Amino acid sequence: MAVTETIERKTTGKVRPHQTQNEGLVFEKSSPGKRAYKLPPLDVPAVDPVSLLGNSWRSESAQLPELSEIEIIRHFTRLSTWNYAIDLGMYPLGSCTMKYNPRVNEFVSRIEGLAEAHPYRPESLAQGALEIIDLLQKCLIEITGMDTITLQPAAGAHGEFTGILLIRAWHESQGNARRKVLIPDSAHGTNPATAAICGYTVENLKSNADGGIDLEALARQVDEDTAALMLTNPSTLGVFENEIHKIADILHAKGALLYMDGANMNALVGKVRPGDFGVDVMHLNLHKTFSTPHGGGGPGSGPVACKKFLEPFLPVPVLVRREGVPSQVSDHSSDEDLSPRTPASRPGAPRVETQLTWEYNRPQSVGRVRAFYGNTGMFIRALAYILANGPDGLRQTTEDAVLNANYIRKRLEDLYELPYKTPSMHEVVFSDKRQAAKGVKTGDIAKRLIDYGFHPYTVSFPLIVHGALMIEPTESESLEELDLFIDAMRSIAREVEETPELVKTAPHSTRVSRLDEVQAARKPILRWRPTPELPPRG
Ligand SMILES: Cc1ncc(COP(=O)(O)O)c(C=O)c1O
């Protein structure tokens, strides 16, 4: 107790105590006979469950917890206060772009006609939803500088999978699927996994001293057996690949394609367009760059944009705009007439109706990658974000994200080792080299950060930095919040010098202290089992 008090007093800044740290299991709160509902007496003939269910009828209770409604509500509400969220404070989890999700996105996505639209609704009655998909596609094509797009993939890794399938299908159409995919050691971990699952051999490219691609080594490694290079840009070091157009030229000269993992587009939107520097196919993470919730907040979306020559291979269905039967536009067309028109339509002139429709008959398509059309709720949120920001707002967002990362870099580089001095984009990667000399590792510092009220940064990734501290503040953070985070990190660096044990044994302010992470990952106890002391259930 005394130790905990000393430790808590020693943290500067904003330790946020949890609402309660002593919440029991819902099973422990149970008392026999309690109910969260009350049914009226049966006023219809009783049925015999055994005759209906046969052997499936269970004769004993399932031993579920028995509680009143308010006890359940309070239990889960209290548990929810143990979660950390972007709505509580900075969430500097590098590589994840944990940015604030503006409430306008949520408002728009909950509009009844959109939220309740069913994928089986006839196309003629779903034109509004399809217009949203069409407009989002156009916006993302404009932002990436590519020619065409599919919104179907449900996550970044799923987008990679779809993109590499496109590349494979195109090579096959040229007579040879080729054998290998090159991947730099600064790539996101999903890249090699994707290439392998698409049947390619992964060949590693070593980064140069700046964290970029060594062009000479690349030229030696690319051959007629190379299907593509998968490049995370900016890389997991937060470094932009300055020579990307030369990389594209080297690949194209050997008939190989350039795949860009565009999940880090938060550093590029509104500044440069991958389609302009030689990228053939790329994915975006809407749930990072375009503010739809990331992580436990909801489903993801990993659209794949590509150049024209890959269009025939896009997954089905593809959204197309068809012209329908010409009709006469009335001079008195009312405001209620919301059917889509060509821009040229004017009262009295013959109008050509257009309709958005899903096209399935595409013989060269890689097929379906997902049920229905993608995670539509994410599309609505992303489009709301894009339209609310507009081109200038998106550009400003990018600049702020890069500025914030560089502010942190500048204010911490005297205390934490910076292995790559190349200019940072949206995130900065330190190493624990100096702290490790005192026996303190990146994981210890991250856990101590919890005591200061922050979600940890990304630990020990990317792998090319030993003991990495990967920090991505995003544009969401104010100068005040950045300063609090910096104060916490500086304070921890001091603690490492003065009282390293304090950091090595953190966290001290949480309900459970340091966990055995291997045990927790490999042998989690996920099931409550009744103990003999518990009263029998009726
Ligand atoms: C650079 C990069 N690529 C790919 C992914 C994979 O995306 P997802 O987790 O949606 O599959 C991520 C995830 O954050 C990422 O940061």
Side-chain angles (χ1 to χ4, degrees):
M1 181 68 183
V3 174
T4 315
E5 270 173 12
T6 324
I7 287 162
E8 288 191 357
R9 251 187 285 115
K10 278 200 74 166
T11 59
T12 59
K14 46 170 201 168
V15 175
R16 300 185 186 93
H18 293 123
Q19 205 82 12
T20 168
Q21 305 237 342
N22 295 311
E23 187 69 15
L25 295 179
V26 73
F27 291 98
E28 292 161 356
K29 292 171 173 290
S30 172
S31 352
K34 276 204 180 176
R35 292 280 180 276
Y37 61 89
K38 197 170 173 193
L39 295 179
L42 192 65
D43 59 358
V44 290
V47 290
D48 172 19
V50 181
S51 65
L52 285 176
L53 298 171
N55 286 343
S56 304
W57 165 250
R58 65 185 303 162
S59 53
E60 282 171 25
S61 138
Q63 304 225 335
L64 296 175
E66 294 167 87
L67 294 100
S68 70
E69 182 173 330
I70 191 163
E71 284 171 324
I72 296 168
I73 294 285
R74 284 194 179 147
H75 173 69
F76 286 107
T77 304
R78 285 195 290 251
L79 286 187
S80 75
T81 66
W82 297 359
N83 276 342
Y84 193 86
I86 187 67
D87 289 348
L88 275 175
M90 181 171 162
Y91 206 129
L93 196 66
S95 201
C96 291
T97 316
M98 302 299 285
K99 61 161 78 177
Y100 171 66
N101 297 292
R103 289 300 177 270
V104 65
N105 299 357
E106 296 307 314
F107 172 76
V108 177
S109 68
R110 283 167 172 73
I111 291 173
E112 201 183 340
L114 298 175
E116 294 184 2
H118 193 279
Y120 282 140
R121 182 182 280 186
E123 281 175 0
S124 59
L125 301 177
Q127 287 298 301
L130 297 185
E131 287 288 348
I132 286 175
I133 294 176
D134 186 55
L135 184 55
L136 177 63
Q137 293 192 160
K138 287 188 176 121
C139 290
L140 297 178
I141 286 171
E142 174 64 26
I143 287 169
T144 56
M146 306 299 279
D147 298 327
T148 183
I149 195 163
T150 173
L151 302 187
Q152 286 186 40
H158 194 195
E160 292 170 33
F161 172 72
T162 307
I164 297 297
L165 285 187
L166 297 184
I167 289 178
R168 190 178 188 97
W170 180 76
H171 280 302
E172 274 168 3
S173 76
Q174 308 296 299
N176 176 9
R178 303 196 170 194
R179 196 181 51 82
K180 66 180 183 185
V181 168
L182 303 180
I183 303 191
D185 51 11
S186 60
H188 193 263
T190 46
N191 295 184
T194 296
I197 216 159
C198 291
Y200 283 111
T201 306
V202 174
E203 208 168 276
N204 198 255
L205 262 179
K206 244 181 111 44
S207 297
N208 61 23
D210 294 334
I213 289 200
D214 181 334
L215 293 191
E216 284 174 19
L218 176 70
R220 279 195 303 276
Q221 250 170 292
V222 184
D223 56 22
E224 269 73 22
D225 227 4
T226 308
L229 166 72
M230 285 182 90
L231 187 71
T232 304
N233 191 31
S235 70
T236 52
L237 291 168
V239 168
F240 182 74
E241 188 55 71
N242 278 328
E243 307 209 275
I244 190 152
H245 56 294
K246 291 190 192 158
I247 292 171
D249 290 345
I250 293 172
L251 291 161
H252 293 155
K254 290 279 166 68
L257 301 186
L258 177 55
Y259 182 95
M260 189 179 115
D261 178 332
N264 290 336
M265 277 290 285
N266 211 41
L268 307 184
V269 172
K271 304 298 279 186
V272 288
R273 308 192 317 160
D276 297 337
F277 50 65
V279 170
D280 298 299
V281 52
M282 65 177 291
H283 79 269
L284 295 160
N285 277 29
L286 296 191
H287 48 290
K288 289 176 58 176
T289 313
F290 296 95
S291 88
T292 65
H294 193 176
S301 180
V304 172
C306 61
K307 290 283 170 61
K308 189 85 187 151
F309 70 95
L310 291 170
E311 189 170 35
F313 309 101
L314 284 177
V316 281
V318 170
L319 191 62
V320 293
R321 195 179 286 277
R322 290 240 164 81
E323 289 191 351
V325 188
S327 65
Q328 203 69 29
V329 177
S330 145
D331 280 340
H332 310 289
S333 56
S334 74
D335 286 349
E336 278 78 42
D337 181 6
L338 298 176
S339 52
R341 303 162 185 191
T342 57
S345 62
R346 59 184 189 281
R351 191 180 78 200
V352 180
E353 300 277 0
T354 66
Q355 184 158 343
L356 286 163
T357 180
W358 292 110
E359 190 177 79
Y360 291 84
N361 185 12
R362 299 177 66 92
Q364 286 186 282
S365 163
V366 295
R368 264 192 176 281
V369 294
R370 195 184 187 287
F372 301 117
Y373 322 111
N375 285 328
T376 318
M378 297 299 104
F379 305 161
I380 298 166
R381 288 172 175 85
L383 185 60
Y385 172 83
I386 291 170
L387 295 180
N389 274 293
D392 291 345
L394 290 176
R395 195 171 304 115
Q396 181 75 52
T397 294
T398 301
E399 288 169 4
D400 291 349
V402 173
L403 183 65
N404 281 357
N406 281 283
Y407 181 69
I408 290 177
R409 171 177 164 157
K410 198 74 208 146
R411 298 268 329 265
L412 292 181
E413 66 187 0
D414 59 326
L415 295 179
Y416 293 90
E417 185 75 15
L418 192 64
Y420 289 89
K421 309 286 185 284
T422 326
S424 294
M425 300 292 290
H426 62 298
E427 60 196 353
V428 53
V429 181
F430 294 105
S431 93
D432 64 9
K433 195 169 165 198
R434 293 183 212 174
Q435 290 72 29
K438 291 270 180 185
V440 177
K441 305 278 176 49
T442 175
D444 303 322
I445 300 167
K447 294 210 188 303
R448 183 64 178 145
L449 207 44
I450 298 171
D451 289 334
Y452 283 86
F454 288 99
H455 192 282
Y457 49 78
T458 294
V459 170
S460 302
F461 183 81
L463 299 178
I464 51 169
V465 173
H466 186 76
L469 293 73
M470 188 193 212
I471 301 169
E472 183 181 11
T474 84
E475 71 283 1
S476 304
E477 303 311 327
S478 64
L479 184 60
E480 289 74 19
E481 184 78 1
L482 293 175
D483 282 339
L484 282 173
F485 175 77
I486 288 162
D487 285 352
M489 289 296 288
R490 296 190 70 83
S491 180
I492 296 171
R494 260 196 317 279
E495 289 171 355
V496 172
E497 296 301 319
E498 293 162 9
T499 48
E501 273 313 303
L502 184 67
V503 183
K504 280 159 78 173
T505 50
H508 304 286
S509 60
T510 45
R511 181 171 188 263
V512 287
S513 51
R514 176 119 13 160
L515 296 174
D516 178 339
E517 287 175 359
V518 176
Q519 187 84 354
R522 300 276 177 237
K523 293 190 181 157
I525 301 169
L526 300 176
R527 188 174 158 199
W528 176 83
R529 289 178 196 280
T531 53
E533 303 90 69
L534 279 175
R537 268 134 227 279

